[in-house]
Amino acid sequence: MKRSERLVAMTHFILDRPRELISLPFFSGKYEAAKSSISEDLGIINKMFQHEGIGYLETIAGAAGGVKYIPQFSKESSHSFVSELCERLQDPARLLPGGYLFMSDLLGDPETTRNIGRLFASAFRDKEIDVVMTVATKGIPLAYAVASYLNVPVVIARRDPKISEGSTVSINYVSGSTRKIQTMVLTKRSLEQGSRVCIIDDFMKAGGTIDGMRNLLKEFDAELAGIGVLAEAEDDEEDRVVEEYLSVVQIVNADDRKFSIEVRPGNLLDNI
Amino acid sequence: MKRSERLVAMTHFILDRPRELISLPFFSGKYEAAKSSISEDLGIINKMFQHEGIGYLETIAGAAGGVKYIPQFSKESSHSFVSELCERLQDPARLLPGGYLFMSDLLGDPETTRNIGRLFASAFRDKEIDVVMTVATKGIPLAYAVASYLNVPVVIARRDPKISEGSTVSINYVSGSTRKIQTMVLTKRSLEQGSRVCIIDDFMKAGGTIDGMRNLLKEFDAELAGIGVLAEAEDDEEDRVVEEYLSVVQIVNADDRKFSIEVRPGNLLDNI
């Protein structure tokens, strides 16, 4: 196989396996090339991944070493993506009663969700994360996008138990904004003890739902590794029950009577 | 930029944009290279994509021409992936009351869902599809995986309307296996008239839920372009209400009392 051909194959192979340690001898065997050539190839790939703003190859030295592709959105790409997102969201036609915002079109676009996944994976790149968790329904595509860049599984809590999932653990929680008591369930065999969990959701107001997921983690003796929400909205009526989190955008001054809204970048950009 | 560097950048760029027409002059401008060089690069990429079993570049001739990356799982990869899936599913510990099967671990694994998405995208490669549709919750990761390889948006019907989605259209349908009347809703602004829709779900017994989605499409004056389910199960009690569909696997002889189950490849493999 020529170098040019090998580079195409290796680029695809590496992109498909983020955060996975791949050894030089493995590449050397797979593509029937000397380790020195593979090493040069990896240098080119690393240079170009950084040039394209999609991440870099981390080199782990030693006998058990190799390379790992760490997806990381560049500062420029992140900033331009988030400001474009703000502009798209800052449309009064999106306003729904209760200060909610119509976002299903964005959440339904695989390219947009993939980019949001890239953002969170970049911001959480130094955390040890074993699994991404969300609650049905709208956070699901975001959770998968993040998980695919972190190369970890997803678990989904639900608001209603389904017969087709086996035995579950359930908790009650108080919805922050409506003060209603709600239930959240997670299938028993879906989360291992001691797992380090990253919580992802689409929207946070007072944070009651996310607090519910946090309590669910305790039932599973799992650890919280990070919280990420796409949009956070102001909540005047009471204090946030969740403090440490990353948000992609912040919705301020949403007023469905005055038909006005303002959307700003959230605190996630500070962590890129 | 050297050819070797350009090939890494172009491979990433193309993989990120399945089914999108990209013109030679565009590449030529982006990478500052002669059209003849770009043309050779595309030849190498096409050759290697086929070699790796992940698809091919379709060339569209003429002034408005260019190339399109068509993701297509090779026959060998598809067969080996499906038989591995059958083996993983054919575990009596997965049996749940009512002939259901625990699959959340597989559905929670981004690599597995991505491969299922590749399979469906390969099988549906000749259909004109504008949007992928599913119903919450478990079909969602599959729908996104398919949509990302087809490069189209996803719409999600729900069993309960949410205040945060705006006005909805709802239909009633009869669940095939339980004969219960259920409701399904879809946000009004989520689906355009005339859209060609591919329905994706995780599980089909009698097909009532999928029939419900089909009826929902009629309310939106949308067209059905195809139906894909991950697992179909036998249903003795009555005839299927859905006939034309592709299934990845078929569950036969599931018996939670005898603690036995058999999982076979579905009809999708005939279309790869």
Side-chain angles (χ1 to χ4, degrees):
Chain A
M1 199 183 284
K2 290 184 208 156
R3 155 151 297 158
S4 56
E5 295 176 349
R6 202 167 59 224
L7 279 169
V8 174
M10 281 175 72
T11 300
H12 166 254
F13 190 90
I14 291 171
L15 283 172
D16 233 17
R17 289 162 184 79
R19 302 183 81 91
E20 202 175 303
L21 183 69
I22 314 168
S23 75
L24 254 67
F26 171 83
F27 277 131
S28 192
K30 186 171 167 70
Y31 301 111
E32 295 171 358
K35 273 205 249 174
S36 57
S37 310
I38 294 292
S39 200
E40 269 179 63
D41 295 346
L42 293 170
I44 298 170
I45 293 174
N46 184 26
K47 180 182 165 191
M48 293 315 292
F49 278 13
Q50 294 181 44
H51 181 265
E52 299 290 292
I54 59 164
Y56 59 94
L57 297 187
E58 187 182 300
T59 306
I60 286 103
V67 292
K68 262 188 197 175
Y69 159 44
I70 309 292
Q72 193 185 353
F73 234 166
S74 67
K75 261 203 175 20
E76 306 85 90
S77 314
S78 308
H79 280 263
S80 76
F81 174 73
V82 172
S83 44
E84 197 201 310
L85 202 60
C86 288
E87 230 166 273
R88 284 166 77 188
L89 285 171
Q90 206 165 254
D91 173 358
R94 293 186 175 275
L95 278 170
L96 296 170
Y100 287 99
L101 210 59
F102 180 79
M103 304 198 291
S104 301
D105 57 332
L106 296 176
L107 292 174
D109 175 34
E111 198 190 325
T112 304
T113 55
R114 210 156 52 221
N115 280 329
I116 296 168
R118 257 180 206 160
L119 272 182
F120 280 122
S122 306
F124 288 129
R125 67 192 175 280
D126 296 327
K127 307 255 184 206
E128 292 227 15
I129 292 169
D130 302 314
V131 54
V132 172
M133 182 190 198
T134 191
V135 64
T137 309
K138 285 192 277 176
I140 297 177
L142 300 178
Y144 273 83
V146 178
S148 86
Y149 285 106
L150 294 176
N151 209 352
V152 297
V154 177
V155 302
I156 300 171
R158 311 176 56 117
R159 292 194 172 88
D160 57 314
K162 278 264 286 193
I163 44 162
S164 54
E165 286 196 28
S167 45
T168 55
V169 174
S170 87
I171 57 138
N172 294 317
Y173 69 99
V174 179
S175 156
S177 24
T178 62
R179 307 293 311 163
K180 266 198 299 190
I181 291 184
Q182 306 207 38
T183 307
M184 197 186 280
V185 304
L186 185 61
T187 309
K188 233 175 175 174
R189 46 178 145 173
S190 64
L191 194 58
E192 273 172 52
Q193 233 184 347
S195 302
R196 295 186 49 94
V197 180
C198 172
I199 292 176
I200 295 288
D201 210 356
D202 62 318
F203 192 82
M204 180 171 87
K205 242 179 142 172
T209 306
I210 288 186
D211 193 45
M213 282 193 260
R214 213 158 49 171
N215 288 327
L216 203 46
L217 290 189
K218 285 183 202 151
E219 294 298 320
F220 281 83
D221 286 319
E223 243 178 275
L224 180 67
I227 297 171
V229 295
L230 171 58
E232 58 167 317
E234 286 176 312
D235 188 59
D236 307 324
E237 290 162 50
E238 58 162 89
D239 292 319
R240 276 271 155 78
V241 290
V242 171
E243 276 99 39
E244 268 194 65
Y245 59 87
L246 296 183
S247 65
V248 179
V249 303
Q250 237 183 341
I251 300 170
V252 287
N253 305 321
D255 190 328
D256 54 333
R257 277 161 304 184
K258 286 194 199 142
F259 211 60
S260 72
I261 180 173
E262 198 191 324
V263 181
R264 295 186 200 144
N267 63 354
L268 180 138
L269 280 184
D270 307 334
N271 290 270
I272 295 283
Chain B
M1 198 182 285
K2 289 185 207 154
R3 155 151 297 156
S4 55
E5 296 176 348
R6 202 166 60 223
L7 278 168
V8 174
M10 282 174 72
T11 299
H12 167 253
F13 190 89
I14 292 171
L15 284 173
D16 233 16
R17 288 162 184 79
R19 302 183 81 92
E20 202 175 303
L21 184 69
I22 313 167
S23 75
L24 255 64
F26 171 82
F27 277 130
S28 192
K30 186 172 167 69
Y31 301 110
E32 294 171 358
K35 273 206 249 175
S36 56
S37 310
I38 294 291
S39 199
E40 269 179 64
D41 295 345
L42 293 171
I44 298 170
I45 293 174
N46 184 26
K47 180 182 164 191
M48 293 315 292
F49 279 13
Q50 293 181 44
H51 181 267
E52 298 290 292
I54 59 163
Y56 59 94
L57 297 188
E58 188 181 299
T59 306
I60 286 104
V67 292
K68 262 187 199 176
Y69 159 44
I70 310 292
Q72 194 186 350
F73 234 166
S74 68
K75 260 202 175 21
E76 304 85 88
S77 314
S78 309
H79 280 263
S80 76
F81 174 73
V82 172
S83 44
E84 196 201 311
L85 202 60
C86 288
E87 230 165 273
R88 284 167 77 188
L89 285 171
Q90 206 166 255
D91 173 358
R94 292 186 174 276
L95 278 170
L96 295 169
Y100 287 99
L101 210 59
F102 180 78
M103 303 199 292
S104 301
D105 56 332
L106 296 176
L107 293 173
D109 175 34
E111 197 190 325
T112 304
T113 55
R114 210 155 56 218
N115 280 329
I116 297 168
R118 257 180 205 158
L119 271 181
F120 281 121
S122 305
F124 288 129
R125 68 192 174 281
D126 297 328
K127 307 257 183 204
E128 293 228 12
I129 293 169
D130 302 314
V131 54
V132 172
M133 181 189 198
T134 192
V135 64
T137 308
K138 284 193 278 177
I140 297 177
L142 301 178
Y144 273 84
V146 179
S148 85
Y149 285 107
L150 294 176
N151 209 350
V152 297
V154 177
V155 301
I156 300 171
R158 310 177 57 118
R159 292 193 171 89
D160 57 314
K162 278 263 286 192
I163 45 161
S164 55
E165 287 197 27
S167 45
T168 56
V169 174
S170 87
I171 57 139
N172 294 317
Y173 69 99
V174 179
S175 155
S177 23
T178 62
R179 307 295 308 162
K180 267 199 298 189
I181 292 184
Q182 306 207 37
T183 306
M184 197 185 281
V185 304
L186 185 61
T187 308
K188 233 174 175 175
R189 45 178 146 173
S190 63
L191 194 57
E192 272 172 52
Q193 235 185 344
S195 302
R196 295 186 52 93
V197 180
C198 173
I199 291 176
I200 296 288
D201 211 355
D202 63 318
F203 193 82
M204 180 171 87
K205 241 178 143 175
T209 306
I210 289 186
D211 194 46
M213 282 193 261
R214 214 159 48 173
N215 288 327
L216 203 46
L217 290 188
K218 285 182 201 150
E219 294 298 321
F220 280 84
D221 286 319
E223 244 179 273
L224 179 67
I227 296 171
V229 294
L230 171 58
E232 58 167 316
E234 286 176 311
D235 188 59
D236 306 324
E237 290 163 50
E238 58 163 273
D239 292 318
R240 277 271 154 78
V241 290
V242 171
E243 274 99 39
E244 269 194 64
Y245 60 87
L246 295 184
S247 65
V248 179
V249 302
Q250 238 182 342
I251 300 170
V252 287
N253 305 320
D255 190 328
D256 54 334
R257 277 161 304 184
K258 286 194 198 142
F259 210 60
S260 72
I261 181 173
E262 198 189 325
V263 181
R264 295 185 199 143
N267 63 354
L268 180 139
L269 280 183
D270 308 334
N271 290 270
I272 295 283

